[in-house]
Each structure stands twice: as C-alpha cells, then as structure tokens.
Amino acid sequence: MTEPFDAVDVIIAKRDRRELSSDQIDWVIDAYTRGLVAEEQMSALAMAIVLNGMDRAELAHWTAAMIRTGERMDWSGLTRRTVDKHSTGGVGDKITLPLVPLVASFGLAVPQLSGRGLGHTGGTLDKLESIPGWQANLTVERMVSQLTEVGAVVCAAGPGLAPADRKLYALRDVTGTVQSIPLIASSIMSKKIAAGAASLVLDVKCGSGAFMTDQTQAVALAEAMVQLGTDAGVTVSALVTDMSTPLGRTIGNALEVREAVEVLAGGGPPDVIELTLALAGEMLAAGGLSQADPAAVLASGQAMDTWRAMIRAQGGDPLAALPTARHHEVLRSPESGVVTRLDALAFGVAAWRLGAGRARKEDPVRPGAGIELAVQLGDEVAAGQVLATLWTDTPDRFGRALAALAGDAVVVSPVCLDDAARPVVPSPPGRLPGGLVSGRPIVLRRITAAGLN
Ligand code: URA
C-alpha cells in the first residue's frame, strides 16, 4: 500500500514554518507509531516543532491523533463522578498522596494513572512502592471495583494509553526536544484525556525544580493544556504553583510518604497543606461540590480512613514501618541569619544522587534515600545549626550529593532582626487551619477555560 504522505515533506513544511494539515498530522502520528516514520525523521520533526511551534488547531489535532493510537478509559458505569489531577512534576511533590483520598472522601471517584520518576523529579508510584506490599499494577476490573468501594485509585498507566506518546517521549528525552509547550501539552493531555475522567485539575509547576522556570512560560503551558482539555469535552482548570524551593520538608520516596501521612493525620508542613487544600478545592468544584470544606475533612481523620482503605485495597499495609536508609550526614548553616534560598533543582539533584531517583527507566530506586529539611524559607538559624539531613544506603554517594548543594543552592543571609534591610522573604499568602502560615505564596495563578479567549 502506498502512503499518502512523505515524512520528509511533513518535516520540511514545519521547518519552513508552515501549518501542518489535519491529514498530515493524522498520518505522521499513526505512521510513526506503526514504525513507518523513522526515529530520525520524527526527531527532526520534533525539533522543527520546538523551534517553530504549532498553532491551536494543529495542537488540538496532534493531541487527538495521539489519543487515537491507543485505548480510552470509560468510567461511565460508575455512580460516582470522576475527577483526576496531574502535576507537571517537582521536588518533594507528594501532594497526590493526601489529595486523592481527601477528594475521594467526598464521594467523588479519583482514578489516578501515575508514572515513575526520571531524573531529579520524583514519581508517585516510586513513593507508594516504599509501602510494604503495595502494588502499582491493577486490571481495569480491579480499578472499577476499588473506585466503587473506596473512590480512590493510584496505579500504573498501562501501555495502551496513547502509545504514540510513550514512543515520542522516549525519543524527545534523548534528542533535546522535551522543552516545547506544544509537545509537553500534547504529551500530558493525550494521556490524561485518554484516562477518561470527566474533570481534570492541573498543577503546573514553575521555578528551578520544574520544566518551566519562568511564570510566563508556565502560564502559557497551563493555558494550552486547559484549552486542549476543554476542546476535548473535559472540565479542566489549572493552578500555576511555585517550585523554586522544595515542597515540604522531605524529598525521597519513603520520607515523602511519611510526610503525606502526617498531613492526613492533621499535621505536616504548611506549604504541603496549603497546596493540598487548594487543589482539593479545585477538584471538588469541578465535581460539583464547590461548597465542600476539605480542611474540615482533613482535620476530621476521614481522609486518613480513605488513605488506609486505598493502600489496603492494593495489597499495602498502611500501618507498617516505612524503610529507612542506613547512613546519614548533616548539612549545617555556615552562619547565623535567615534562610532566603533553598533551591529546588539543587535539592532534587542531591536526593537523586543519594539514590531516591533513577537515571535510566530500568534503574531501581532506594526507598529510604533522600533529604529531610530541618528548615524552610524564612526560618532564622544560628551558625552550625542543622539545615538538612541526607540519607542513603551507600555512603560513597554523599560527596556528589553535597556537591549539588554547594554554591548558592542554600543561602543564609545575615540580618539584624530589627533591621529594615532584612532580606525579603515573600509574605505569607494566608492562614491555614490551626493557625499555620506558609512562608511563601504557593499558588501563583489560576487558569480556567472561562478566562481563555
Ligand atoms: N510529562 C509528560 O508526560 N510529557 C512531557 O512532555 C513532559 C512531562
């Protein structure tokens, strides 16, 4: 059978800044998935898209074509309304863990198909796999029964969801073509639309630990994704949130599970609580429950009950001791003052080097490895005070991890407390339950379909 297009013509069209036709897009995605478009041709096309972009119609078509390469989940048999969440990934981002059971406690169904971490950002499945017995792989039948009984599932996405993206993302990873708003937006949204929830809330990270380091780019990515979801009939909103410094006080799989459980028990760091409640509010409103009070349900222990049921349903023991690493080393403050910088990327790389993350998809992670912060932004410290504890099973990793934290990764600015010239730490955005205050603005922007033109 002769093919209707030639891959070289499609590449040249995008190289010369021409709009790709719907037929060209349908063909190139399908032919690439079937192996008829060579990896080097797709990599040239991806680079042309990085450089020249895609307009709204091209992007919508590209995303729809990626979805059509695989299956689409169907939750219409459930009596509960479905709502999903996606984070573009960050350092110490354990929000899915308290958020999913919290939202499910209101009677909504949250089917979360998650991934494993790569590089300095963690993956939700890696975190949950540090719980003894917990299983990431579920059949669709088990997902349906767990959603019916518990309302909350976090499990591995099967290979059938947008297989074109699986292939294309692996290629982009090794060809310098990850950093592109249309390619990131279509990659994420093809999987999320195929995952089938009626509503979706996006947490688009912004800052050194995120794909998008500046707010203008993060807002543009959020807008593109909200537009794609809306065009596909999904109710979508996005929060653009700060990722310039790690979320909470822990980075690393078992350490992050422990902190998430603290939040479910009514404690935990203010920034983690604030973001959990902000995203829960969005998800509940999307599910028709805009008057619901997630802070009250978190405080009541109901979300903890749902968490335990969710973990048990997947073979895990929510009360079992979590793994710990065998060796630790501390990082101390060189001087007295106020902590004005804890760089997210540097801490993510350090935790990764300690064994919390992987360099290649096949690598294992060490569940106990990672970093516990003893301070957060804006805290006063004395010279010699512990700023962070580094954990690993292999002590020869300490050197490279500490090297990632050298330079200006951590800044303690000397101040006199009465001094008007005290360094500016962003002012608290608001009070949280229990009188807690988080030390910086977490939610930077909210993007909804109504706000787009
Ligand atoms: N996550 C994805 O799934 N795709 C991207 O392109 C980037 C992040």
Side-chain angles (χ1 to χ4, degrees):
M1 197 181 92
T2 56
E3 295 295 318
F5 296 98
D6 189 331
V8 177
D9 293 337
V10 181
I11 297 164
I12 288 172
K14 192 37 76 185
R15 182 199 68 188
D16 293 348
R17 296 198 169 83
R18 276 182 275 132
E19 192 181 321
L20 300 183
S21 71
S22 306
D23 289 342
Q24 280 176 316
I25 291 173
D26 288 347
W27 175 79
V28 82
I29 296 284
D30 177 59
Y32 174 61
T33 312
R34 288 186 290 129
L36 297 179
V37 169
E39 295 289 346
E40 61 270 23
Q41 292 176 312
M42 196 51 155
S43 110
L45 180 58
M47 186 57 84
I49 293 170
V50 169
L51 298 175
N52 295 330
M54 283 198 277
D55 70 17
R56 181 174 158 187
E58 284 176 293
L59 180 54
H61 223 90
W62 182 275
T63 308
M66 301 236 289
I67 294 169
R68 276 198 302 277
T69 61
E71 64 202 30
R72 205 164 163 165
M73 313 286 284
D74 177 7
W75 307 114
S76 57
L78 293 175
T79 50
R80 297 171 184 244
R81 288 169 81 157
T82 48
V83 52
D84 196 359
K85 169 254 178 183
H86 179 81
S87 159
T88 58
V91 177
D93 183 4
K94 71 276 297 171
I95 302 294
T96 292
L97 307 184
L99 178 64
V100 169
L102 173 59
V103 171
S105 299
F106 287 86
L108 298 179
V110 192
Q112 262 272 302
L113 298 170
S114 288
R116 293 193 165 72
L118 191 61
H120 74 275
T121 57
T124 300
L125 300 183
D126 294 327
K127 299 177 212 271
L128 286 167
E129 278 173 344
S130 63
I131 300 173
W134 188 84
Q135 295 297 320
N137 294 317
L138 296 186
T139 61
V140 175
E141 291 70 31
R142 277 200 53 197
M143 285 185 77
V144 169
S145 69
Q146 193 172 321
L147 286 169
T148 306
E149 283 153 32
V150 183
V153 169
V154 181
C155 67
L161 282 191
D165 178 64
R166 190 169 282 250
K167 216 175 152 190
L168 181 55
Y169 191 48
L171 178 70
R172 287 168 55 216
D173 206 26
V174 294
T175 55
T177 52
V178 169
Q179 240 17 343
S180 149
I181 287 176
L183 290 178
I184 295 175
S186 56
S187 165
I188 292 172
M189 292 306 288
S190 61
K191 288 173 289 202
K192 281 290 156 184
I193 294 168
S199 313
L200 173 65
V201 173
L202 299 164
D203 180 1
V204 179
K205 302 287 186 199
C206 168
S208 73
F211 278 116
M212 297 296 153
T213 49
D214 85 86
Q215 198 172 326
T216 311
Q217 292 286 301
V219 168
L221 176 62
E223 287 178 347
M225 291 198 288
V226 169
Q227 192 74 67
L228 281 175
T230 308
D231 289 349
V234 181
T235 305
V236 193
S237 65
L239 298 183
V240 174
T241 69
D242 178 61
M243 188 29 73
S244 59
T245 196
L247 256 176
R249 291 173 175 266
T250 58
I251 309 149
N253 301 299
L255 293 168
E256 292 191 43
V257 172
R258 198 195 65 205
E259 188 167 86
V261 172
E262 279 167 25
V263 171
L264 288 160
D271 57 347
V272 178
I273 303 170
E274 180 178 341
L275 186 51
T276 302
L277 293 179
L279 289 165
E282 289 291 318
M283 291 172 78
L284 291 166
L289 300 171
S290 48
Q291 303 305 315
D293 183 358
V297 167
L298 199 57
S300 74
Q302 214 183 318
M304 177 71 99
D305 294 342
T306 310
W307 158 263
R308 289 182 179 156
M310 173 180 105
I311 297 301
R312 284 197 183 103
Q314 289 177 239
D317 178 355
L319 303 178
L322 292 164
T324 49
R326 288 195 296 276
H327 304 274
H328 72 279
E329 193 135 302
V330 294
L331 177 71
R332 292 182 188 278
S333 179
E335 54 196 325
S336 299
V338 170
V339 180
T340 52
R341 184 173 153 93
L342 296 167
D343 182 65
L345 177 61
F347 277 91
V349 170
W352 173 28
R353 290 180 178 173
L354 290 166
R358 54 170 69 77
R360 290 171 308 152
K361 278 209 285 286
E362 325 58 74
D363 293 346
V365 296
R366 309 296 311 190
I371 299 177
E372 273 179 287
L373 291 164
V375 294
Q376 290 198 289
L377 280 187
D379 285 355
E380 286 171 40
V381 293
Q385 189 175 325
V386 173
L387 298 175
T389 304
L390 283 61
W391 292 96
T392 189
D393 292 321
T394 30
D396 58 356
R397 291 174 180 262
F398 281 128
R400 282 183 23 91
L402 285 165
L405 300 176
D408 67 352
V410 179
V411 176
V412 175
S413 303
V415 284
C416 160
L417 287 184
D418 300 327
D419 189 345
R422 177 184 173 130
V424 177
V425 174
S427 59
R431 297 205 163 259
L432 297 171
L436 291 168
V437 172
S438 75
R440 68 189 201 282
I442 310 291
V443 178
L444 307 174
R445 280 283 298 274
R446 176 168 184 263
I447 314 285
T448 60
L452 301 177
N453 46 37

